[in-house]
């Protein structure tokens, strides 16, 4: 079933819990609910664009990581997920440069850089 593969499976639960702990580092409090990452249902609370953007990237990368490691006997690692986030932000940087919107992109990027690098070390 969809919900089991992407959310309930014992192998993916540690990764989702790590993502929720990481979101707390970005001062983003979300209920531990599969509707948020799987079908993009967010509460209408006063969340900044930065928080929504960060959550969206984290959720997409977790789903890619789960799909990549599906049917393997190990839990998807946070390092795999962080590398995917890094790749997404690299591509977004190139798009921002092309669109001449690099300043607004850098604000988000610099806020994430410290946390991403700390998890890779």
């Amino acid at each position: 079933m969809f919900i089991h593969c992407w959310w309930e499976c014992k192998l993916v639960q540690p990764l989702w819990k790590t993502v929720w702990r990481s979101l707390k580092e970005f001062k983003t409090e979300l209920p531990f609910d599969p509707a948020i990452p799987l079908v993009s249902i967010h509460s209408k609370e006063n969340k900044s664009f930065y928080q929504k953007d960060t959550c969206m990237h984290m959720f997409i990368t977790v789903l890619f990581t789960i799909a990549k490691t599906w049917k393997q006997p190990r839990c998807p690692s946070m390092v795999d997920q962080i590398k995917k986030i890094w790749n997404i932000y690299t591509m977004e940087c190139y798009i921002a440069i092309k669109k001449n919107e690099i300043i607004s992109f850098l604000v988000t990027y610099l806020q994430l850089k410290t946390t991403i690098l700390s998890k890779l070390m």
Side-chain angles (χ1 to χ4, degrees):
M1 295 180 67
F2 175 79
I3 197 78
H4 171 76
C5 296
W6 296 102
W7 184 260
E8 294 173 347
C9 178
K10 290 177 187 176
L11 291 176
V12 299
Q13 274 297 300
L15 181 60
W16 282 118
K17 289 179 180 174
T18 305
V19 168
W20 251 255
R21 280 193 304 272
S22 298
L23 289 173
K24 286 182 182 181
E25 290 178 27
F26 297 120
K27 308 217 180 352
T28 302
E29 294 288 332
L30 293 172
F32 194 67
D33 181 359
I36 297 169
L38 299 179
V39 290
S40 298
I41 296 175
H42 297 278
S43 65
K44 301 238 179 203
E45 293 175 10
N46 190 13
K47 300 284 183 202
S48 71
F49 174 75
Y50 164 71
Q51 289 175 328
K52 288 179 184 175
D53 193 43
T54 302
C55 291
M56 175 79 83
H57 287 96
M58 290 187 84
F59 298 152
I60 289 169
T61 58
V62 169
L63 294 174
F64 273 113
T65 304
I66 291 170
K68 179 181 172 186
T69 60
W70 189 246
K71 295 212 176 209
Q72 293 185 11
R74 65 178 181 88
C75 173
S77 77
M78 188 64 175
V79 173
D80 291 340
Q81 190 232 350
I82 289 171
K83 287 178 183 177
K84 278 268 191 246
I85 291 174
W86 198 261
N87 291 340
I88 287 174
Y89 273 97
T90 302
M91 294 308 296
E92 286 196 358
C93 179
Y94 295 140
I95 292 168
I97 290 169
K98 186 170 180 147
K99 289 183 175 182
N100 235 0
E101 298 172 353
I102 193 67
I103 301 300
S104 61
F105 170 78
L106 285 177
V107 171
T108 303
Y109 172 78
L110 291 174
Q111 291 173 332
L112 287 172
K113 182 181 175 183
T114 305
T115 304
I116 290 173
L117 291 177
S118 71
K119 293 195 180 299
L120 288 174
M121 303 284 173

